[in-house]
Structure formats: structure tokens, C-alpha cells
Amino acid sequence: MCGIVVYSGRGRDDAPALVLEGLKKLEYRGYDSWGITSVDRKGRVSTLKRVGKIGGADPRSVRKLLGSGSVAVGHTRWATHGGISERNAHPQFDCAGRIAVVHNGIIENYQELKAPLVARGHRFTSETDTELITHYIEEYMGKGLSLQEAARLVARRLKGRSAFVAVDTRSCRIAAARLGAPLIVGVGDKGRLFISSDVSGFLDHTKRVMYIDDNEMAALSGSGDRSRMPSFFEIGSGKRVRKRIITVGWKGGTESKSGYEHFLIKEIMEQKRTIAQAINQDDWRIRQAAGRIRNAFGVFIVGAGTAGRVCAAGEYLFSDIARKHVNSAVASEFASYRHYLTRKTLMIAVSQSGETVDLLDAIDVAKSKGARVLSLVNVFGSTLMRASDDYLMLNAGAEKAVASTKATTAQLSLLTLLAYATAGRLKDGKRLLLDTAAQVNDMLNPRYEDRIKRLARKLKGQKDIFVIGRGVNYPMAEEAAIKLQETSYIHAHGFAGGELKHGPLALVRKGSACIVMAANDDSKREIMGNAMEVRARGGYVIGVAPENSDVFDYWLKVPDAGSASPIVNIIPVQILAYHLALLRGINPDYPRNLAKSVTVK
Ligand code: G6P
């Protein structure tokens, strides 16, 4: 959560504009408020902070207020400590207004660290935990330490996953510390340097990056200095670390809306090709991963949010296709399984961003027990990818809408392929998924969308929507509910069809909407029975199925995709969620209170 972009150039650069442009690319990380501080050529420091999305910021007014200059530091915020206000937006400053700090993550020992500062007379002007970093740096520098050393000493004291960048607005020196949350240095031409929490913050300007690893920091000299290469240090010891420049091949996908009104619908429509892209992998890598799955003693498949639902579906896929027992777990709960982890365990970590803190913590648990980690990840160079023993890319391209769609079906596709490969049937898996990709391509046409739009009009006033599924479509029912909740704010609840009679049926009244995911598999007869139970109580039954039925009040046709049914079943619900958001006047790309990349616990 929260996006950081810092620029340090020389000469006639327009640093605030570059930072603004980068922050707009990171808006998906947080969109409560934003701020930029810049230092102009005469050394004048200006700060602009606003509540709301940075996407709406007009570059001309930012330029008017901040001028141009060669150094700027910016942040887009997802509030943790302190409410949403300009005062709490970053950058935060020390008492003298000299040190500007932007920060991502949480300082867990905040109270403990703040109290002595207050006792020593430091004035806090915000409710953020970030601000204490500025005051500690102020104190250390007051004792004659350099910015770099002061930032290092503060970083050593912080508990919890975070990252911060501190800028001395007088010397224009910059120190960036990574304590579990990502920070990457971008090396442009002519001594132009960037620091960002995500490569997309500067990818339009340079593809040459230097990764700051955990518990390391980077120091950038002032813009007037001749040597513009950053230096790297261990936070603990202060020892110098050597780094290589890596050229990122990843393009990050097209980041415009390509003519669509919102990222969400653009990304839903991109599923015409992303399913095929997801399984476009080297056979040997898939076979190697499958071999590891087969031979592991205990396989755990772990993810958070939507990815967590995909993992739950994965448990069924491996059972149905490969007769292999894998355990799925929600990342934030994974630590409870630690007693079952050994050096023979394989953890499959599934994530779009590769930055979700619950998942990174889960990996730490697995690694502490010597387990091997295979990640399925969309963002190249992400913390997850770098921390894993092996990885497979989802190849979905940048996913910007907070609600995951194309990454979800890419994850499902790759897991299905792995299940087939584990069963020794890689070719069959490829054939099935390529057929599914072609069917999805046909399905995503304007007439299909219109039919779903009509359904959205019927459902827009609902207070609750129930979703049921069985077998592999049970987790998909839960995922459908997540999609509806986050985009339409309608209370939605997904559960196993068989559980209906154990409670939820009491909530069904005349007109209650219930989506039924009825795949053409072993569970079909039973799930249709559950649909009937809803209908008998006056419920409005929406069938997501290859064939129509008298039980359905509204039918959303999906291809008969066999083991790939989760992929085709979730897509109409994604489209429904999008249109419900529009009809209810909600921005489908940026649900309230949520962020795309959840880097706090
Ligand atoms: C957030 C996003 C979800 C995503 C989850 C896990 O909640 O809104 O779309 O499924 O985080 O994210 P990851 O990047 O690890 O897949």
C-alpha cells in the first residue's frame, strides 16, 4: 500500500512533473491522499498535499505551485496511522522543516519510539507514524551525523515491514531504507536517478534498475555532485553492499485504458488473450515444477484475497486432475501450519503483485522451516519473485483495477496446467486451456455484455446477493462474492451449495438473488438441487452454466469447459460486478477503503 516516487536529476529537469507522472502510475497502491515536495534550482522548498486521488491532479497547477527543479519526492497514501487529511499526507517533516520523509508500511513500535521524542520537545504536526522518522533523523543529524547514517540508525530501530525515503532539502541528499516493503532505484541517463516502490513509477524513463534488498539502504548524493551512482549499505552493520544494474525486460503492459472507460472492464476484456498467455510457458519449467509437486512431502498453496480463493480452487484441481493432495491456506493464517512444515515441504505462493505482506510473512515462515517456495506471480522483480526458489510468471500484463480479474484467471489457468503436468498429462492440459481461451474469446462479445447489463439493472437495488457452488466452484462462489462486494458495495456471500440448509437459507426471501455456479461435473445434480431449494422459497436464481434450466430465472451461458470451469464461471460475475458498480454510481477501479497491493497486516 502507498506509492513512493522520488526523482533526483541535474540541471534543467522538471522533477515535480516526473514524480507526479510516476505517482499516477502507482495510484492503485493507495488513493486517499497524496503529496509532493520539491526543491527548485535556487534551493527553495515547496510542498503540495491534497486529499483524494492523484489521478485527478492537473499537471499545470502542480507546476504552478511547485515550479520546476531537479529533486522531488512524492507519495500516494492508503491511510494506516491517522485519518485521511492533508496534514497526514506525506511527505512529513521534522521540526525545522528540513527533512522530508515518505513512508510505506507500519511502524509497529511507534508508541515506544514516539514517547521519548515528545519528552525531548519535538513537535508532532500529524497523527502518522511516519513523522517520527523525520524527528529521529533531525536528532541524529543534530549530533553531526550524515543523512545516510542518521537514516540508517532510525531504520535499525523500526519494527514491522516498511520502507522510507528521506530527503535533506538543504543538501538534496537522499537516503532510502527497505525494511520488508519494496524500493527500487531506477538509473536513467545523464545522472538521472529515481527511487520508487514499484518499477512502474519510472519505467517510462528507464528500464535499468538496482534492487534494494531487505534490510539494506541506498544513498544518493546531492544533484550537484559529480558521481551520480547510488551507494548501498546494510542497515544493520553499515557495511557497503555491491549492486549490479539489471535491465528489466518487463514492459508492465499497456497502462492506458486503451479506449475503455475503466481499467476494470479493459482488464476483463483482456482475458480474451491472457489465458493463453498464462500457459505460454517453457514445458521444461512446468515439468520441473510438476516434479517438485509430485515429490514434495506436503504441498501448501497459499495466497491472500482473491488469490487465496484461487488457491482453494487449486486444492480441488490437484485432487480432481492429479489425485494429489495439496493443502490450501489463506496467507494470513499460514503460520498456524508451521508445525507441519519441513525441508520436504513445497509452498506454492500465488500473487498478482508479489508484494502482499501476509504472503511475504507466510514465505518467511515456510523458509524458516527449510521448505521450498515456488511462486506464481504477475509482477516481474517483485519481492515474492525474488524471495522464491522458483517462479512462474502469470504473463497477464499490468493489472491496475483494485478488483483482480485477468490475474485471477491467469492464476487459475496456470494452476490447472500444473495439475495436468503433475498427472503426467501436460499436453492434455494445454489443449484444454487453449480451447478454453478460444471459448472465452468468443464469449466476451458485446451481446454477452449487454445480457449481463440487463441482469445488473434487475439486481442493482438488492441488499444481498448469495452465490453458491460445489467442488472446485465453491471457492469460485466465494470469489464471485468478493468481486460483487468490492465493486458494487452490495453485501454478497459465497458458500458451498451443501451449506445452504445449515443457515443461509434462513435469509432467503421472495426476490433474494442467488447466483448458482453449475458446472457440467459430478456436482451438477446436487447444485441444481440447491438452486431448487432457493427457488422454492421465492429466491431469484441466476444460473451460470453451460445449459439452461427451468430452475433458473436468468441464465448466463458459459462454455462447457470441463476442469477449466472455474475460469469460465467467474468471468460473467466480473462483468456483472462492473456494471453494478456503474449503475450504483461507484468508480469500479478504486473501491473505497481498499488498495491493490496490501503491504500492511
Ligand atoms: C488485494 C487486492 C486483491 C488481491 C489481494 C491479494 O486485496 O485487491 O485483488 O487478490 O490483495 O493480492 P496479490 O497481489 O497478492 O494477488
Side-chain angles (χ1 to χ4, degrees):
M1 319 201 117
C2 303
I4 292 173
V5 181
V6 179
Y7 176 76
S8 167
R10 11 173 47 166
R12 304 205 146 269
D13 286 329
D14 199 351
L18 289 168
V19 166
L20 177 69
E21 183 192 310
L23 285 177
K24 286 190 176 187
K25 299 258 163 59
L26 302 191
E27 187 171 48
Y28 69 92
R29 296 180 75 96
Y31 36 87
D32 293 341
S33 54
W34 58 275
I36 301 176
T37 292
S38 74
V39 187
D40 75 8
R41 278 186 276 282
K42 293 195 177 130
R44 278 185 305 234
V45 182
S46 334
T47 296
L48 175 62
K49 292 185 182 184
R50 291 285 181 265
V51 167
K53 296 198 188 76
I54 193 157
D58 170 22
R60 272 172 311 179
S61 56
V62 170
R63 171 177 267 265
K64 216 165 134 193
L65 287 159
L66 294 181
S68 59
S70 49
V71 172
V73 49
H75 187 264
T76 177
R77 180 169 187 247
W78 188 86
T80 51
H81 263 262
I84 302 163
S85 65
E86 282 184 16
R87 207 156 53 91
N88 289 337
H90 303 198
Q92 291 291 324
F93 285 89
D94 62 326
C95 299
R98 171 175 170 179
I99 308 296
V101 171
V102 290
H103 167 235
N104 183 1
I106 284 187
I107 302 173
E108 286 169 3
N109 51 341
Y110 159 73
Q111 294 293 1
E112 189 186 308
L113 290 179
K114 184 178 172 181
L117 287 170
V118 175
R120 290 197 290 269
H122 287 271
R123 275 175 297 106
F124 279 75
T125 57
S126 76
E127 300 151 318
T128 64
D129 49 357
T130 306
E131 193 180 340
L132 69 82
I133 301 175
T134 68
H135 295 289
Y136 272 108
I137 293 180
E138 178 180 28
E139 280 202 348
Y140 287 129
M141 286 180 73
K143 290 181 186 153
L145 297 183
S146 64
L147 172 76
Q148 174 193 318
E149 191 57 8
R152 187 177 78 80
L153 294 183
V154 184
R156 268 168 50 147
R157 302 181 70 165
L158 305 182
K159 295 216 169 93
R161 281 187 189 270
S162 67
F164 72 85
V165 181
V167 179
D168 178 358
T169 56
R170 210 174 285 167
S171 65
C172 288
R173 287 175 190 274
I174 296 171
R178 172 177 174 151
L179 298 150
L183 273 185
I184 303 148
V185 177
V187 184
D189 54 2
K190 299 186 189 140
R192 306 162 94 210
L193 295 171
F194 296 82
I195 303 175
S196 180
S197 39
D198 182 326
V199 283
S200 35
F202 54 70
L203 212 53
D204 287 347
H205 301 282
T206 180
K207 298 204 170 4
R208 298 182 345 125
V209 306
M210 297 174 95
Y211 287 103
I212 308 176
D213 284 311
D214 270 347
N215 303 314
E216 286 180 1
M217 55 183 292
L220 274 55
S221 55
S223 50
D225 289 3
R226 289 189 71 190
S227 159
R228 294 293 291 146
M229 281 314 278
S231 34
F232 296 85
F233 303 86
E234 281 177 11
I235 288 174
S237 64
K239 274 212 306 252
R240 202 77 188 238
V241 183
R242 290 169 73 89
K243 291 272 166 190
R244 278 186 315 128
I245 295 183
I246 295 167
T247 304
V248 190
W250 190 63
K251 293 184 203 67
T254 56
E255 288 179 2
S256 75
K257 292 181 190 147
S258 313
Y260 287 98
E261 211 180 322
H262 297 102
F263 283 115
L264 185 59
I265 190 70
K266 175 202 163 215
E267 289 160 7
I268 290 172
M269 292 302 163
E270 280 175 346
Q271 293 172 110
K272 288 178 184 182
R273 54 167 201 276
T274 49
I275 295 163
Q277 278 168 210
I279 59 159
N280 186 11
Q281 309 277 345
D282 291 331
D283 283 359
W284 70 265
R285 294 194 74 186
I286 295 291
R287 289 209 171 91
Q288 186 188 58
R292 294 218 161 96
I293 295 169
R294 246 190 328 262
N295 297 329
F297 187 72
V299 180
F300 286 86
I301 172 165
V302 188
T306 289
R309 300 304 81 220
V310 168
C311 293
E315 189 170 331
Y316 288 90
L317 290 169
F318 278 96
S319 163
D320 294 345
I321 300 166
R323 305 287 182 265
K324 172 78 188 171
H325 179 207
V326 309
N327 307 272
S328 74
V330 163
S332 57
E333 292 294 320
F334 183 68
S336 312
Y337 295 85
R338 64 189 176 283
H339 308 298
Y340 312 128
L341 308 176
T342 69
R343 298 176 64 80
K344 291 183 184 161
T345 308
L346 176 71
M347 176 187 188
I348 305 178
V350 180
S351 174
Q352 190 286 127
S353 63
E355 301 296 350
T356 301
V357 76
D358 288 337
L359 188 56
L360 298 179
D361 282 354
I363 286 193
D364 287 349
V365 170
K367 287 189 139 184
S368 71
K369 297 284 186 168
R372 196 174 178 96
V373 179
L374 161 69
S375 61
L376 272 48
V377 63
N378 199 34
V379 177
F380 187 86
S382 56
T383 308
L384 174 62
M385 182 194 122
R386 291 159 53 73
S388 304
D389 299 294
D390 309 289
Y391 66 87
L392 292 167
M393 297 303 297
L394 297 172
N395 300 333
E399 191 182 66
K400 291 283 166 183
V402 168
S404 178
T405 52
K406 62 175 179 169
T408 311
T409 49
Q411 290 160 353
L412 286 167
S413 305
L414 198 42
L415 281 178
T416 308
L417 191 70
L418 281 172
Y420 271 97
T422 305
R425 297 172 56 205
L426 176 58
K427 281 211 173 95
D428 291 345
K430 268 201 176 160
R431 204 172 308 123
L432 169 78
L433 288 159
L434 285 174
D435 284 351
T436 306
Q439 286 167 322
V440 166
N441 185 27
D442 293 344
M443 182 170 112
L444 287 171
N445 63 58
R447 271 189 38 233
Y448 193 68
E449 195 182 346
D450 278 347
R451 182 158 173 77
I452 298 176
K453 245 191 246 178
R454 280 202 294 282
L455 175 64
R457 278 188 218 114
K458 284 180 197 287
L459 298 185
K460 68 169 196 260
Q462 287 282 340
K463 289 219 159 42
D464 313 285
I465 300 179
F466 304 101
V467 194
I468 55 172
R470 276 181 179 255
V472 70
N473 282 296
Y474 156 37
M476 286 301 102
E478 293 180 321
E479 163 54 12
I482 294 179
K483 279 298 88 63
L484 295 168
Q485 290 159 6
E486 61 188 340
T487 57
S488 73
Y489 307 162
I490 295 176
H491 168 249
H493 181 173
F495 48 93
E499 289 295 292
L500 194 59
K501 55 191 175 292
H502 296 296
L505 204 53
L507 301 174
V508 174
R509 285 171 307 197
K510 193 168 176 345
S512 298
C514 180
I515 299 174
V516 179
M517 290 188 165
N520 225 349
D521 59 17
D522 295 350
S523 67
K524 183 171 173 190
R525 208 171 42 82
E526 283 163 345
I527 193 75
M528 293 304 283
N530 299 138
M532 225 106 77
E533 288 157 15
V534 174
R535 184 85 191 272
R537 280 146 188 98
Y540 184 77
V541 177
I542 301 130
V544 175
E547 287 141 27
N548 203 352
S549 153
D550 290 348
V551 189
F552 299 154
D553 291 288
Y554 206 95
W555 177 41
L556 295 176
K557 186 177 181 192
V558 289
D560 191 349
S563 307
S565 70
I567 300 171
V568 297
N569 284 352
I570 196 61
I571 292 175
V573 185
Q574 296 170 346
I575 302 173
L576 176 65
Y578 173 71
H579 284 288
L580 279 171
L582 294 189
L583 288 167
R584 290 165 64 87
I586 296 163
N587 182 340
D589 287 343
Y590 301 109
R592 67 181 173 213
N593 307 338
L594 302 180
K596 179 100 188 126
S597 193
V598 183
T599 56
V600 292
K601 283 201 190 190

